[in-house]
Amino acid sequence: MSARLLLRLHRIGLIAMAYFSIFYVLVNSAAFPIIAGKTRAAQEAFGHSVTVLGATFAWLLPLPVRPDTAAGYLQWRGYGFFAIVFAVWGLFSACGAVRRDEDRGLVESWLSSGVSRLRLLATRSIFFAALSAEIVTLAGVAGWLGCLIAGTPADVAGLVGESAALWALTLACFGIGLVVAQLVGDFRAAASAGGVVLLLMFLLDSIGRSSVHRAPFTDISVFFLFNQSNAVAPGGSFDLVATVLLFAVCAVATVAAAAAFVRRDIGSGLIRQRPRGATEVHEASTNPLLRIPVIRGLWIRRIGAVGWTVGMAVAAAAVVLLVNATATFFATTPSLSSYLRGLAGNVHTVLLALIWLSFAQALVAILSITTVSRWSGDDSSGVLEMQLAEPLPRWRVLAERATELTVTVTVASFVAMAVILALAPAEAIAVDIGNLLIATALLIPFALTFAAVGAVLAGWRPRVAVVVLSTIAAISYLVFELGPLFKWPSWADNLSVFQLYGTPLITPVFVGGLIAMLAIVIVGFGSAGVVLARRDVAA
Amino acid sequence: MSSAIVMHGLTKDYGSGHGLFNLDLEVAESEVFGFLGPNGAGKTTTIRLLMGVIHASAGSATIFGLDCDRESVAVKRDVGYLPGELPQFGGMRGSEVVTYLGGMRGGIDTARVKELSARLELDLGRRFREYSRGNKQKLGLVLAFMHRPRLLILDEPTGGLDPLNQQTFHHLVGEVKASGTTVFLSSHVLSEVEETCSRVGIIRDGRLVSDMTMDKVHELRFHEVVIEFGGDVPEAAVRAATGVEDVAVDGLRLTCTVHGGFDPLLAAISAHTVVDMVSREPSLETLFLSYYKQ
């Protein structure tokens, strides 16, 4: 197994995590004086507000420590949230390394080349450990740099300690993923079962953190062990024992996974499914949905589509439920209240617009990128060749792809909108239904803008499509988030695709942006059609 | 008889001498044509050009008078296609793959699907990822044959099939040929095309080196024979036998090549005790080398 091949197998996680962690850490540290204010008094007032807000968010993030400093704020917003993201990454990477590669026949091929099962598992684990160490280090360096830009350098030893704890958590979750993936027979089942295990551990820690009385067994949660360290914050500490325990979880889980891997058959899990009945089926499926254009694609990918819809609905509900607490925080923070006063409308509505719509934009952009990744995969895997072996013009394949994405984005966005409309009155948030409808509808051209660029890239260079599109999205989001904070010129702001969407819930529709998005969609898909028609498939 | 497939100067140049060069070939309607060549010779490239998934650098190809590139959609209405390797359909059941791809064509002949899957002993109720290589190949055959196309383009159709299912495949080809279907199949195994084809084209390094009837192929082919004798080795008699060449003796073992029938060789050794006798078909590459040596 070459390092190049392993790097390729982990490329999507690597790219996504590198972009996300560097950007997220930089924003939450470098922009601190802009968010909290430049004077010591303003920063102390900000810290007080964050402490109050932190108590409301205790179920999600650990309580803040010295949030009146850039490093303390980074610890709370940055590393507190990283625990969730890196844990999920570790789990999914392990499930993919075991199950996806087995589905592709790679594991069988490696084993038949003389590599032992133990060596294979060890190689994958060591490679992931090296990869995650790099990402964690990059995040640490970005944090140090961000605090330096903010004018309050972070303690290097603290950053190293916190990075070590984060690395240990990621590896522990990777180990858990390795074990779960040995038990079941496919990636979907492994990811679901592993997700449930992580969720239970998170809830256990969450209950322990937000309850007056300490709930039993919280200590067994990997999140609890990680949250024992808060070394980036001034006055915080690094818990060596808890970090070593996380490494121990990883070691024990990896050994257990290795034992299971040696025992089980390739292609199936340790827990075997009941075999199907002996009756053979010789009929084609009678499912009419498989015959209808667009619907057939949606049906095949129904679990993913439902997942996105539920995910966006849950995110929308969480945002609505947190608006009141966030409004109080903004109102008591001088730098932020002045920012809010600059925007017209009710403070709750403004916050809903700012938080939900930027969140929804990020989600649909990710949905578009993952869809483009599948389009590229369809080419290299031969699916596109099989589709084109049927009497379908190439433009129709492209049109079906675009329509399928449009339907998924529409359903997910409007279900999320319905959740907002259902929950907002109970939280005393006034929402203009017409504006919310427009804002939700505008997410469709926004998502298609990324898809159109992705369609051109997938047709031109399928292998680099995801990397290039992710880079465009990451830079766009960076410009969108940092531009207003650092008061960049408007021409720079308008380079961001996110900027084209505008803030339709609180300001009139950005017509120029909408026209630009529609132009990109038309030109993009038009060009993609030409590229697809001219190029060789599966060559 | 009119032509089902016509290729004129068909070229796909990938650079560095790789690809397909200046291919001129015609396949008549109702003909079963075998496209033979070693791995990497250009068989799949030719098939992909016919299917319109890749574009020619030069030349042209038509199927039933329609241009394979410009009118590829119309072409595919009449074509059943088996690729060299089916893509991963993951958790979809075989029955769902059939309906999904059949739906793209506009309809499914359910009776035909049932007949084909039963004859090939393919359980369509299982998920694609659970299929063995042979079962995936059977599914590919069902997909290619299920809409009763006028032309079948099959890329190494018996790969992964056991001998019984290979026989079923040969019967299926015989049946569709009888009903007027044209078949264009690629292979690198001579015995496979012998079973089914009436004519073969041989391709090597991207160039068509021979286009011949099966009678000519029978003349061309030979066997490598190893005979273990119990006593005396009749070397002189074997050397004198018609069609026997490259005779070599090592102790009680005699090796030779036999062109045409076995009767002269069998007559030469009939008076001697034979302990063991093995006859092997040479690889296509060996066959070509022998052919060009001549």
Side-chain angles (χ1 to χ4, degrees), chain A residues 489-527:
Chain A
S490 60
W491 65 264
D493 288 350
N494 287 336
L495 289 177
S496 166
V497 183
F498 288 83
Q499 197 70 31
L500 301 177
Y501 177 77
T503 49
L505 210 54
I506 47 177
T507 57
V509 173
F510 178 24
V511 178
L514 176 60
I515 291 169
M517 284 195 291
L518 291 174
I520 294 171
V521 171
I522 292 164
V523 173
F525 277 113
S527 308

Side-chain angles (χ1 to χ4, degrees), chain A residues 278-291:
Chain A
T279 316
E280 287 198 351
V281 175
H282 294 302
E283 282 86 17
S285 168
T286 52
N287 183 352
L289 300 178
L290 286 168
R291 301 175 190 223

Side-chain angles (χ1 to χ4, degrees), chain A residues 95-327:
Chain A
C95 294
V98 177
R99 283 290 150 210
R100 276 213 197 284
D101 292 354
E102 233 170 271
D103 285 351
R104 290 174 185 150
L106 289 172
V107 171
E108 200 175 329
S109 164
W110 287 325
L111 292 179
S112 62
S113 70
V115 177
S116 73
R117 293 189 184 206
L118 290 178
R119 191 172 159 198
L120 176 63
L121 197 76
T123 307
R124 297 306 301 264
S125 303
I126 291 167
F127 187 82
F128 181 78
L131 203 68
S132 52
E134 279 177 39
I135 303 290
V136 165
T137 307
L138 277 175
V141 171
W144 176 79
L145 206 63
C147 289
L148 204 65
I149 294 168
T152 50
D155 176 35
V156 175
L159 269 169
V160 170
E162 194 64 23
S163 298
L166 183 63
W167 187 42
L169 172 74
T170 312
L171 293 184
C173 294
F174 183 82
I176 291 167
L178 284 181
V179 173
V180 174
Q182 306 300 327
L183 302 178
V184 294
D186 64 88
F187 175 78
R188 198 179 286 165
S192 307
V196 169
V197 172
L198 274 198
L199 185 66
L200 286 175
M201 285 201 178
F202 183 79
L203 289 176
L204 211 56
D205 180 48
S206 176
I207 292 165
R209 231 178 13 232
S210 49
S211 302
V212 178
H213 302 291
R214 176 93 174 268
F217 311 121
T218 54
D219 300 19
I220 62 167
S221 165
V222 289
F223 294 99
F224 172 82
L225 294 173
F226 171 73
N227 288 332
Q228 297 313 297
S229 296
N230 53 6
V232 178
S237 63
F238 169 61
D239 192 326
L240 180 66
V241 176
T243 305
V244 170
L245 274 173
L246 282 171
F247 281 120
V249 169
C250 169
V252 170
T254 307
V255 169
F261 189 33
V262 170
R263 283 177 66 93
R264 73 176 175 84
D265 296 338
I266 298 300
S268 64
L270 207 59
I271 303 169
R272 285 178 174 278
Q273 283 184 322
R274 215 150 35 109
R276 252 172 32 84
T279 316
E280 287 198 351
V281 175
H282 294 302
E283 282 86 17
S285 168
T286 52
N287 183 352
L289 300 178
L290 286 168
R291 301 175 190 223
I292 306 167
V294 179
I295 303 295
R296 57 189 166 216
L298 289 167
W299 174 257
I300 289 169
R301 285 171 280 279
R302 62 194 176 280
I303 293 176
V306 169
W308 274 102
T309 306
V310 171
M312 281 189 72
V314 170
V319 168
V320 173
L321 296 175
L322 292 172
V323 159
N324 278 328
T326 313

Side-chain angles (χ1 to χ4, degrees), chain B residues 228-232 269-275:
Chain B
E228 193 90 33
F229 289 94
D232 292 342
I269 63 172
S270 60
H272 294 76
T273 307
V274 174
V275 177

